[in-house]
Coordinates of all heavy atoms in Angstrom, one line a residue:
M1 N -38.3 28.8 5.6 CA -37.0 29.0 6.2 C -36.1 27.9 5.8 O -36.5 26.7 5.7 CB -37.2 28.9 7.7 CG -35.9 29.1 8.4 SD -35.8 28.5 10.1 CE -36.7 29.7 11.1
I2 N -34.9 28.2 5.4 CA -33.9 27.2 5.0 C -33.1 26.7 6.2 O -32.7 27.5 7.0 CB -33.0 27.8 3.9 CG1 -33.7 28.3 2.7 CG2 -31.9 26.9 3.6 CD1 -32.9 29.0 1.7
R3 N -33.0 25.4 6.3 CA -32.2 24.9 7.4 C -30.9 24.4 6.8 O -30.8 23.7 5.8 CB -33.0 23.7 8.0 CG -34.2 24.2 8.7 CD -34.8 23.1 9.6 NE -36.0 23.5 10.2 CZ -36.1 23.9 11.5 NH1 -35.0 23.8 12.2 NH2 -37.2 24.3 12.0
I4 N -29.9 24.7 7.5 CA -28.5 24.3 7.2 C -28.1 23.3 8.2 O -28.1 23.5 9.4 CB -27.6 25.5 7.2 CG1 -28.0 26.5 6.1 CG2 -26.1 25.1 6.9 CD1 -27.3 27.8 6.1
T5 N -27.6 22.2 7.7 CA -27.1 21.1 8.6 C -25.7 21.5 9.2 O -25.1 22.4 8.7 CB -26.9 19.8 7.8 OG1 -25.8 20.0 6.9 CG2 -28.1 19.3 7.1
A6 N -25.4 20.9 10.3 CA -24.1 21.1 10.9 C -23.0 20.8 9.9 O -22.0 21.6 9.9 CB -23.9 20.3 12.2
M7 N -23.1 19.8 9.1 CA -22.1 19.4 8.2 C -21.9 20.5 7.1 O -20.7 20.9 6.8 CB -22.3 18.1 7.5 CG -21.2 17.6 6.6 SD -21.4 16.0 6.0 CE -20.7 15.0 7.3
E8 N -23.0 21.1 6.7 CA -22.9 22.2 5.7 C -22.2 23.4 6.3 O -21.3 24.0 5.7 CB -24.3 22.6 5.2 CG -24.9 21.5 4.3 CD -26.3 21.8 4.0 OE1 -27.1 22.1 5.0 OE2 -26.7 21.8 2.8
E9 N -22.6 23.8 7.5 CA -22.0 24.9 8.2 C -20.5 24.7 8.4 O -19.7 25.6 8.1 CB -22.7 25.2 9.5 CG -22.0 26.4 10.2 CD -22.6 26.6 11.6 OE1 -23.7 26.1 12.0 OE2 -21.9 27.4 12.4
Y10 N -20.2 23.6 9.0 CA -18.8 23.2 9.2 C -18.0 23.2 7.9 O -16.8 23.6 7.9 CB -18.6 21.9 9.9 CG -19.1 21.9 11.4 CD1 -19.6 20.7 11.9 CD2 -19.2 23.0 12.2 CE1 -20.0 20.6 13.2 CE2 -19.7 23.0 13.4 CZ -20.1 21.8 14.0 OH -20.5 21.7 15.3
G11 N -18.5 22.7 6.9 CA -17.8 22.6 5.6 C -17.5 23.9 5.0 O -16.4 24.2 4.6
V12 N -18.5 24.8 5.1 CA -18.2 26.2 4.6 C -17.2 26.9 5.5 O -16.3 27.6 4.9 CB -19.5 27.0 4.6 CG1 -19.3 28.5 4.3 CG2 -20.5 26.5 3.5
R13 N -17.2 26.7 6.8 CA -16.2 27.3 7.6 C -14.8 26.8 7.3 O -13.8 27.6 7.3 CB -16.6 27.1 9.1 CG -17.8 27.9 9.5 CD -18.4 27.6 10.8 NE -17.5 27.3 11.9 CZ -18.0 26.8 13.1 NH1 -19.3 26.7 13.3 NH2 -17.2 26.6 14.1
C14 N -14.7 25.5 7.1 CA -13.4 24.9 6.7 C -12.9 25.5 5.4 O -11.7 25.8 5.3 CB -13.5 23.4 6.6 SG -13.6 22.6 8.2
L15 N -13.8 25.6 4.4 CA -13.3 26.1 3.1 C -12.9 27.6 3.2 O -11.9 28.0 2.6 CB -14.5 26.0 2.1 CG -14.7 24.6 1.5 CD1 -15.9 24.7 0.6 CD2 -13.5 24.1 0.8
V16 N -13.6 28.4 4.0 CA -13.3 29.8 4.2 C -11.9 29.9 4.9 O -11.1 30.7 4.5 CB -14.4 30.5 5.0 CG1 -13.9 31.9 5.4 CG2 -15.6 30.7 4.2
R17 N -11.7 29.0 5.8 CA -10.4 29.0 6.5 C -9.2 28.7 5.5 O -8.2 29.3 5.5 CB -10.4 28.0 7.7 CG -9.0 27.9 8.4 CD -8.6 29.1 9.1 NE -9.5 29.4 10.2 CZ -9.2 30.3 11.1 NH1 -8.1 30.9 11.2 NH2 -10.1 30.6 12.0
L18 N -9.5 27.7 4.7 CA -8.5 27.3 3.7 C -8.2 28.5 2.7 O -7.1 28.7 2.3 CB -8.9 26.1 2.9 CG -8.8 24.8 3.7 CD1 -9.4 23.6 3.0 CD2 -7.4 24.4 4.1
A19 N -9.3 29.1 2.3 CA -9.2 30.2 1.3 C -8.4 31.4 2.0 O -7.6 32.0 1.3 CB -10.6 30.7 0.9
R20 N -8.7 31.7 3.2 CA -8.0 32.8 3.9 C -6.5 32.5 4.2 O -5.7 33.4 4.3 CB -8.6 33.1 5.2 CG -9.9 33.8 5.1 CD -10.5 34.1 6.4 NE -11.7 34.9 6.3 CZ -12.6 35.2 7.2 NH1 -12.3 34.7 8.4 NH2 -13.6 35.9 7.0
N21 N -6.2 31.2 4.2 CA -4.8 30.8 4.6 C -3.8 31.1 3.4 O -2.6 31.2 3.7 CB -4.8 29.3 4.9 CG -3.5 28.9 5.5 OD1 -3.1 29.5 6.6 ND2 -2.8 27.9 5.0
G22 N -4.3 31.2 2.2 CA -3.4 31.5 1.1 C -3.1 30.3 0.3 O -3.2 29.2 0.8
A23 N -2.7 30.6 -0.9 CA -2.4 29.5 -1.8 C -1.1 28.8 -1.4 O -0.1 29.4 -1.1 CB -2.2 30.0 -3.2
G24 N -1.1 27.5 -1.5 CA 0.1 26.7 -1.3 C 0.5 26.5 0.2 O 1.5 25.8 0.4
Q25 N -0.3 27.0 1.1 CA 0.1 26.8 2.5 C -0.9 25.7 3.1 O -2.0 26.1 3.5 CB -0.1 28.1 3.3 CG 0.9 29.2 2.9 CD 2.3 28.7 3.1 OE1 2.7 28.2 4.2 NE2 3.2 29.0 2.2
P26 N -0.4 24.5 3.3 CA -1.3 23.5 3.8 C -1.8 23.7 5.2 O -1.0 24.2 6.0 CB -0.5 22.2 3.7 CG 0.7 22.5 2.8 CD 0.9 24.0 2.9
V27 N -3.0 23.3 5.5 CA -3.5 23.4 6.8 C -3.9 22.0 7.3 O -4.6 21.3 6.5 CB -4.8 24.3 6.9 CG1 -5.4 24.4 8.3 CG2 -4.5 25.7 6.3
T28 N -3.5 21.6 8.4 CA -3.8 20.2 8.9 C -5.3 20.1 9.3 O -5.9 21.1 9.7 CB -3.0 19.8 10.1 OG1 -3.2 20.6 11.2 CG2 -1.5 19.9 9.8
C29 N -5.8 18.9 9.3 CA -7.2 18.7 9.7 C -7.3 19.1 11.2 O -8.3 19.7 11.6 CB -7.5 17.2 9.6 SG -9.2 16.8 10.0
A30 N -6.3 18.8 12.0 CA -6.4 19.2 13.4 C -6.4 20.7 13.6 O -7.2 21.2 14.5 CB -5.2 18.6 14.2
T31 N -5.7 21.5 12.8 CA -5.7 22.9 12.9 C -7.0 23.5 12.5 O -7.6 24.4 13.1 CB -4.6 23.5 12.0 OG1 -3.3 23.0 12.5 CG2 -4.6 25.0 12.1
L32 N -7.6 22.9 11.4 CA -8.9 23.4 10.9 C -10.0 23.1 12.0 O -10.8 23.9 12.3 CB -9.3 22.7 9.6 CG -8.8 23.2 8.3 CD1 -9.1 22.3 7.2 CD2 -9.3 24.6 8.1
S33 N -9.9 21.9 12.6 CA -10.8 21.5 13.6 C -10.8 22.4 14.8 O -11.8 22.9 15.2 CB -10.5 20.1 14.0 OG -11.4 19.7 15.1
E34 N -9.6 22.7 15.2 CA -9.5 23.6 16.4 C -9.8 25.1 16.1 O -10.6 25.7 16.8 CB -8.0 23.6 16.9 CG -7.8 24.3 18.2 CD -6.4 24.2 18.7 OE1 -5.8 23.1 18.6 OE2 -5.9 25.2 19.2
A35 N -9.4 25.6 15.0 CA -9.6 27.0 14.6 C -11.1 27.3 14.3 O -11.6 28.3 14.7 CB -8.8 27.4 13.4
E36 N -11.8 26.3 13.8 CA -13.2 26.5 13.4 C -14.2 25.8 14.3 O -15.4 25.8 14.1 CB -13.4 26.0 12.0 CG -12.7 26.8 10.9 CD -13.0 28.3 11.0 OE1 -14.2 28.7 11.2 OE2 -12.1 29.1 10.8
H37 N -13.7 25.2 15.4 CA -14.5 24.6 16.4 C -15.4 23.5 15.8 O -16.6 23.4 16.1 CB -15.3 25.6 17.2 CG -14.5 26.7 17.8 ND1 -13.7 26.5 18.9 CD2 -14.4 28.0 17.4 CE1 -13.1 27.7 19.1 NE2 -13.5 28.6 18.3
V38 N -14.7 22.7 15.0 CA -15.4 21.6 14.3 C -14.9 20.3 14.9 O -13.7 20.1 15.1 CB -15.1 21.6 12.8 CG1 -15.7 20.4 12.1 CG2 -15.5 22.9 12.1
P39 N -15.8 19.4 15.4 CA -15.3 18.2 15.9 C -14.3 17.5 14.9 O -14.6 17.4 13.7 CB -16.6 17.3 16.1 CG -17.7 18.4 16.2 CD -17.2 19.5 15.3
P40 N -13.2 16.9 15.5 CA -12.2 16.4 14.6 C -12.7 15.3 13.6 O -12.3 15.3 12.4 CB -11.2 15.7 15.6 CG -11.4 16.5 16.8 CD -12.8 16.9 16.9
L41 N -13.6 14.4 14.0 CA -14.1 13.4 13.1 C -14.9 14.0 12.0 O -14.9 13.5 10.9 CB -14.8 12.3 13.9 CG -14.0 11.4 14.8 CD1 -14.8 10.4 15.6 CD2 -12.9 10.7 14.0
F42 N -15.7 15.0 12.4 CA -16.5 15.7 11.4 C -15.6 16.4 10.4 O -15.9 16.3 9.2 CB -17.4 16.8 12.1 CG -18.8 16.7 11.8 CD1 -19.7 17.4 12.6 CD2 -19.4 16.0 10.8 CE1 -21.1 17.4 12.4 CE2 -20.7 16.0 10.5 CZ -21.6 16.7 11.3
A43 N -14.6 17.0 10.8 CA -13.6 17.7 9.9 C -13.0 16.7 9.0 O -12.9 17.0 7.8 CB -12.5 18.4 10.7
E44 N -12.6 15.5 9.5 CA -12.0 14.5 8.6 C -13.0 14.0 7.5 O -12.7 13.9 6.3 CB -11.6 13.3 9.4 CG -10.4 13.5 10.3 CD -10.1 12.3 11.1 OE1 -10.6 11.2 10.8 OE2 -9.4 12.5 12.1
Q45 N -14.3 13.8 7.9 CA -15.3 13.4 6.9 C -15.5 14.5 5.9 O -15.6 14.2 4.7 CB -16.6 13.2 7.6 CG -16.7 12.0 8.5 CD -18.0 11.8 9.3 OE1 -18.9 12.6 9.1 NE2 -18.1 10.8 10.1
I46 N -15.6 15.8 6.3 CA -15.8 16.9 5.4 C -14.7 17.0 4.4 O -14.9 17.1 3.2 CB -16.0 18.2 6.2 CG1 -17.4 18.1 6.9 CG2 -15.9 19.4 5.3 CD1 -17.5 19.2 8.0
L47 N -13.4 17.0 4.9 CA -12.3 17.1 4.1 C -12.2 15.9 3.1 O -11.7 16.1 1.9 CB -11.0 17.3 4.9 CG -10.9 18.6 5.6 CD1 -9.8 18.6 6.7 CD2 -10.8 19.8 4.7
R48 N -12.5 14.8 3.5 CA -12.5 13.6 2.6 C -13.5 13.8 1.5 O -13.2 13.6 0.3 CB -12.9 12.3 3.4 CG -12.7 11.1 2.6 CD -13.0 9.8 3.4 NE -12.4 9.8 4.7 CZ -13.1 9.7 5.8 NH1 -14.4 9.7 5.8 NH2 -12.5 9.7 7.0
R49 N -14.7 14.3 1.8 CA -15.7 14.6 0.7 C -15.2 15.7 -0.2 O -15.4 15.6 -1.4 CB -17.0 14.9 1.3 CG -17.7 13.8 2.0 CD -18.9 14.2 2.8 NE -19.5 13.1 3.5 CZ -20.7 12.5 3.1 NH1 -21.3 13.0 2.0 NH2 -21.1 11.5 3.8
F50 N -14.6 16.7 0.3 CA -14.1 17.8 -0.5 C -12.9 17.3 -1.4 O -12.8 17.7 -2.5 CB -13.6 18.9 0.4 CG -14.7 19.8 1.0 CD1 -14.4 20.6 2.0 CD2 -16.0 19.7 0.5 CE1 -15.4 21.4 2.6 CE2 -17.0 20.5 1.1 CZ -16.7 21.3 2.1
R51 N -12.1 16.4 -0.8 CA -11.0 15.8 -1.7 C -11.5 15.0 -2.8 O -11.1 15.2 -4.0 CB -10.1 15.0 -0.8 CG -8.8 14.6 -1.5 CD -7.8 13.9 -0.6 NE -8.3 13.0 0.4 CZ -8.5 11.7 0.1 NH1 -8.1 11.2 -1.1 NH2 -9.0 10.9 1.0
F52 N -12.5 14.1 -2.5 CA -13.1 13.3 -3.6 C -13.8 14.2 -4.6 O -13.9 13.8 -5.8 CB -14.0 12.3 -3.0 CG -13.3 11.1 -2.4 CD1 -13.7 10.7 -1.1 CD2 -12.3 10.4 -3.0 CE1 -13.0 9.6 -0.5 CE2 -11.6 9.4 -2.4 CZ -12.0 9.0 -1.1
G53 N -14.4 15.3 -4.2 CA -15.1 16.2 -5.1 C -14.2 17.1 -5.8 O -14.7 17.9 -6.6
G54 N -12.9 17.2 -5.5 CA -12.0 18.0 -6.2 C -11.9 19.5 -5.7 O -11.3 20.3 -6.4
L55 N -12.4 19.7 -4.5 CA -12.3 21.1 -3.9 C -11.0 21.3 -3.2 O -10.5 22.4 -3.2 CB -13.5 21.4 -3.0 CG -14.9 21.4 -3.6 CD1 -15.9 21.8 -2.5 CD2 -14.9 22.4 -4.7
V56 N -10.5 20.2 -2.6 CA -9.2 20.4 -1.9 C -8.3 19.3 -2.3 O -8.7 18.3 -2.9 CB -9.4 20.3 -0.3 CG1 -10.3 21.4 0.2 CG2 -9.9 19.0 0.1
T57 N -7.0 19.5 -2.1 CA -6.0 18.6 -2.3 C -5.2 18.3 -1.0 O -5.0 19.2 -0.3 CB -5.0 19.1 -3.4 OG1 -5.7 19.4 -4.6 CG2 -3.9 18.1 -3.7
S58 N -4.9 17.1 -0.8 CA -4.1 16.8 0.4 C -2.6 16.8 0.1 O -2.2 16.3 -1.0 CB -4.5 15.4 1.0 OG -4.3 14.4 0.1
V59 N -1.8 17.3 1.0 CA -0.4 17.3 0.8 C 0.2 16.5 1.9 O -0.1 16.6 3.1 CB 0.1 18.8 1.0 CG1 1.7 18.8 0.9 CG2 -0.5 19.7 0.0
R60 N 1.0 15.5 1.5 CA 1.6 14.6 2.5 C 2.9 15.1 3.1 O 3.5 16.0 2.5 CB 1.9 13.3 1.8 CG 0.6 12.6 1.3 CD 0.9 11.4 0.5 NE 0.8 10.3 1.5 CZ 0.8 9.0 1.2 NH1 1.1 8.7 -0.1 NH2 0.6 8.1 2.0
G61 N 3.3 14.6 4.2 CA 4.6 14.9 4.8 C 4.4 15.7 6.1 O 3.3 16.0 6.5
P62 N 5.6 16.0 6.7 CA 5.5 16.7 8.0 C 4.9 18.1 8.0 O 4.4 18.6 9.0 CB 7.0 16.7 8.4 CG 7.8 16.5 7.2 CD 6.9 15.7 6.3
H63 N 5.0 18.7 6.8 CA 4.4 20.0 6.7 C 3.1 20.0 5.8 O 2.8 20.9 5.1 CB 5.4 21.0 6.1 CG 6.6 21.2 7.0 ND1 6.6 21.8 8.2 CD2 7.9 20.8 6.8 CE1 7.8 21.8 8.8 NE2 8.6 21.1 7.9
G64 N 2.5 18.8 5.8 CA 1.4 18.6 4.9 C 0.0 19.1 5.5 O 0.0 19.7 6.6
G65 N -1.0 18.8 4.8 CA -2.3 19.2 5.2 C -3.2 19.3 4.0 O -3.1 18.5 3.0
Y66 N -4.1 20.3 4.0 CA -5.0 20.4 2.9 C -4.9 21.8 2.3 O -4.7 22.8 3.1 CB -6.5 20.2 3.4 CG -6.8 18.8 3.8 CD1 -6.5 18.3 5.0 CD2 -7.2 17.9 2.8 CE1 -6.7 17.0 5.4 CE2 -7.5 16.6 3.1 CZ -7.2 16.1 4.4 OH -7.4 14.8 4.7
I67 N -5.0 21.9 1.0 CA -5.1 23.2 0.3 C -6.3 23.2 -0.7 O -6.7 22.1 -1.1 CB -3.8 23.5 -0.4 CG1 -3.4 22.4 -1.4 CG2 -2.6 23.7 0.5 CD1 -2.3 22.7 -2.3
L68 N -6.7 24.4 -1.0 CA -7.8 24.4 -2.0 C -7.2 24.0 -3.4 O -6.1 24.4 -3.8 CB -8.3 25.9 -2.1 CG -9.2 26.4 -1.0 CD1 -9.7 27.8 -1.3 CD2 -10.4 25.5 -0.8
A69 N -8.0 23.2 -4.1 CA -7.6 22.7 -5.4 C -8.2 23.6 -6.5 O -7.9 23.5 -7.6 CB -8.1 21.3 -5.6
K70 N -9.1 24.5 -6.1 CA -9.8 25.4 -7.1 C -9.6 26.9 -6.5 O -9.5 27.1 -5.3 CB -11.3 25.1 -7.2 CG -11.6 23.7 -7.7 CD -13.0 23.4 -7.7 CE -13.8 24.3 -8.7 NZ -15.2 23.9 -8.8
D71 N -9.8 27.8 -7.4 CA -9.9 29.2 -7.1 C -11.1 29.4 -6.2 O -12.2 29.0 -6.6 CB -9.9 30.0 -8.3 CG -10.0 31.5 -8.1 OD1 -10.0 31.9 -6.9 OD2 -9.9 32.3 -9.0
P72 N -11.0 30.0 -5.0 CA -12.2 30.1 -4.2 C -13.3 30.8 -4.8 O -14.5 30.6 -4.4 CB -11.7 30.9 -2.9 CG -10.2 31.1 -3.1 CD -9.8 30.5 -4.4
V73 N -13.1 31.7 -5.7 CA -14.1 32.4 -6.4 C -15.1 31.5 -7.2 O -16.2 31.8 -7.4 CB -13.5 33.6 -7.3 CG1 -14.6 34.3 -8.1 CG2 -12.8 34.5 -6.4
T74 N -14.5 30.4 -7.7 CA -15.3 29.5 -8.5 C -16.1 28.4 -7.7 O -16.9 27.7 -8.3 CB -14.3 28.7 -9.5 OG1 -13.5 27.9 -8.8 CG2 -13.6 29.7 -10.4
I75 N -15.9 28.4 -6.4 CA -16.6 27.4 -5.6 C -18.0 27.9 -5.2 O -18.1 29.0 -4.7 CB -15.8 27.0 -4.3 CG1 -14.4 26.4 -4.7 CG2 -16.6 26.0 -3.4 CD1 -13.5 26.2 -3.6
T76 N -19.0 27.2 -5.5 CA -20.4 27.6 -5.2 C -20.9 26.9 -4.0 O -20.5 25.7 -3.7 CB -21.3 27.4 -6.4 OG1 -21.5 26.0 -6.6 CG2 -20.8 28.1 -7.7
L77 N -21.9 27.5 -3.3 CA -22.5 26.8 -2.2 C -23.2 25.5 -2.7 O -23.3 24.5 -1.9 CB -23.5 27.7 -1.5 CG -22.9 28.8 -0.6 CD1 -23.9 29.7 0.0 CD2 -22.1 28.1 0.6
G78 N -23.8 25.6 -3.9 CA -24.5 24.4 -4.4 C -23.5 23.2 -4.5 O -23.9 22.1 -4.2
E79 N -22.3 23.5 -5.0 CA -21.3 22.5 -5.2 C -20.9 21.9 -3.8 O -20.8 20.7 -3.6 CB -20.1 23.1 -5.9 CG -19.0 22.2 -6.2 CD -17.8 22.8 -6.9 OE1 -17.7 24.1 -6.9 OE2 -17.0 22.1 -7.4
V80 N -20.7 22.8 -2.8 CA -20.4 22.3 -1.5 C -21.5 21.5 -0.9 O -21.3 20.4 -0.3 CB -20.1 23.6 -0.6 CG1 -20.0 23.2 0.9 CG2 -18.9 24.3 -1.0
N81 N -22.8 21.9 -1.0 CA -23.9 21.2 -0.5 C -24.0 19.8 -1.1 O -24.3 18.9 -0.4 CB -25.2 22.0 -0.6 CG -25.2 23.1 0.3 OD1 -24.5 23.2 1.3 ND2 -26.1 24.1 0.1
R82 N -23.9 19.8 -2.4 CA -24.0 18.5 -3.1 C -22.9 17.5 -2.6 O -23.2 16.3 -2.4 CB -23.8 18.6 -4.6 CG -25.1 19.1 -5.3 CD -25.0 19.0 -6.8 NE -24.0 20.0 -7.3 CZ -24.3 21.3 -7.5 NH1 -25.4 21.8 -7.2 NH2 -23.3 22.1 -8.0
L83 N -21.7 17.9 -2.4 CA -20.7 17.1 -1.9 C -21.0 16.6 -0.5 O -20.7 15.5 -0.1 CB -19.3 17.8 -1.9 CG -18.7 17.9 -3.3 CD1 -17.4 18.8 -3.2 CD2 -18.4 16.6 -3.9
L84 N -21.4 17.5 0.3 CA -21.6 17.2 1.8 C -22.9 16.4 2.0 O -22.9 15.6 3.0 CB -21.7 18.5 2.6 CG -20.4 19.2 2.7 CD1 -20.6 20.5 3.4 CD2 -19.3 18.4 3.3
L85 N -23.9 16.5 1.2 CA -25.1 15.8 1.4 C -25.2 14.4 0.7 O -26.2 13.7 0.9 CB -26.3 16.7 1.0 CG -26.4 17.9 1.8 CD1 -27.6 18.8 1.4 CD2 -26.5 17.6 3.3
Q86 N -24.2 14.1 -0.1 CA -24.2 12.8 -0.8 C -24.0 11.7 0.2 O -23.1 11.9 1.1 CB -23.1 12.8 -1.9 CG -23.4 13.5 -3.1 CD -22.2 13.4 -4.1 OE1 -21.2 12.8 -3.8 NE2 -22.3 14.1 -5.2
V87 N -24.6 10.6 0.1 CA -24.4 9.5 1.0 C -23.0 9.0 0.7 O -22.3 8.7 1.7 CB -25.5 8.4 0.7 CG1 -25.2 7.2 1.6 CG2 -26.8 8.9 1.0
R88 N -22.6 8.8 -0.5 CA -21.3 8.4 -0.8 C -20.7 9.3 -1.9 O -21.2 9.2 -3.1 CB -21.3 6.9 -1.3 CG -20.0 6.4 -1.7 CD -20.1 5.0 -2.2 NE -19.2 4.2 -1.4 CZ -19.1 2.9 -1.5 NH1 -19.9 2.2 -2.2 NH2 -18.2 2.3 -0.8
P89 N -19.8 10.2 -1.6 CA -19.3 11.2 -2.6 C -18.7 10.5 -3.8 O -18.0 9.5 -3.6 CB -18.3 12.0 -1.9 CG -18.2 11.5 -0.5 CD -19.1 10.3 -0.3
E90 N -18.9 11.0 -4.9 CA -18.3 10.5 -6.2 C -17.0 11.2 -6.4 O -16.8 12.3 -6.1 CB -19.2 10.8 -7.4 CG -20.6 10.1 -7.3 CD -20.5 8.6 -7.3 OE1 -19.6 8.1 -8.1 OE2 -21.3 7.9 -6.7
P91 N -16.0 10.4 -6.9 CA -14.7 11.1 -7.1 C -14.8 12.1 -8.2 O -15.6 12.0 -9.1 CB -13.8 9.9 -7.6 CG -14.5 8.6 -7.3 CD -16.0 9.0 -7.1
A92 N -13.9 13.1 -8.1 CA -13.9 14.2 -9.1 C -13.4 13.6 -10.4 O -12.7 12.6 -10.4 CB -13.0 15.3 -8.7
Q93 N -13.7 14.3 -11.5 CA -13.2 13.8 -12.8 C -11.6 13.8 -12.8 O -11.0 14.7 -12.3 CB -13.7 14.8 -13.9 CG -15.1 14.8 -14.1 CD -15.7 13.5 -14.6 OE1 -15.0 12.8 -15.3 NE2 -16.9 13.2 -14.3
G94 N -11.1 12.8 -13.4 CA -9.6 12.7 -13.5 C -8.9 12.1 -12.3 O -7.7 12.0 -12.3
L95 N -9.7 11.6 -11.3 CA -9.0 11.0 -10.2 C -9.1 9.5 -10.3 O -9.9 8.9 -10.8 CB -9.7 11.4 -8.8 CG -9.5 12.9 -8.5 CD1 -10.2 13.1 -7.1 CD2 -8.0 13.2 -8.3

């Protein structure tokens, strides 16, 4: 039996929400946290790992938030798990 950690489940839920939101429409961490029932501090940690891993991009400003940095079709569960289970995520290439 495969066990999925809470961080993995929450991470996938956040990515699915970002993918459903559409391209170029930023979603705040608070909105993701509330919509997906993810504790706010957990959501911040997850999004930080995804940003360092190149899965999401942060948008600053009053209408800022997070958007997917990659086509959702190209994101694999293995990639998500590697980012979430690293003790200290490595920055994506080019950052």
Side-chain angles (χ1 to χ4, degrees):
M1 180 199 287
I2 296 175
R3 293 196 183 252
I4 297 173
T5 67
M7 185 172 273
E8 290 169 308
E9 179 186 344
Y10 292 154
V12 170
R13 287 167 43 185
C14 288
L15 284 176
V16 169
R17 174 67 62 169
L18 288 171
R20 286 183 176 168
N21 195 55
Q25 295 297 319
V27 180
T28 65
C29 184
T31 300
L32 277 172
S33 174
E34 185 177 322
E36 295 303 323
H37 307 288
V38 176
L41 291 176
F42 233 165
E44 288 176 20
Q45 290 175 4
I46 289 166
L47 291 169
R48 186 176 317 115
R49 288 172 184 255
F50 286 164
R51 187 170 47 87
F52 285 131
L55 294 183
V56 301
T57 301
S58 59
V59 178
R60 300 176 95 175
H63 300 290
Y66 292 88
I67 57 173
L68 287 180
K70 295 175 69 172
D71 182 353
V73 174
T74 65
I75 299 172
T76 66
L77 283 176
E79 183 177 16
V80 171
N81 287 343
R82 278 189 296 279
L83 287 173
L84 293 176
L85 297 179
Q86 286 179 0
V87 175
R88 179 180 233 175
E90 297 295 324
Q93 296 292 335
L95 291 180

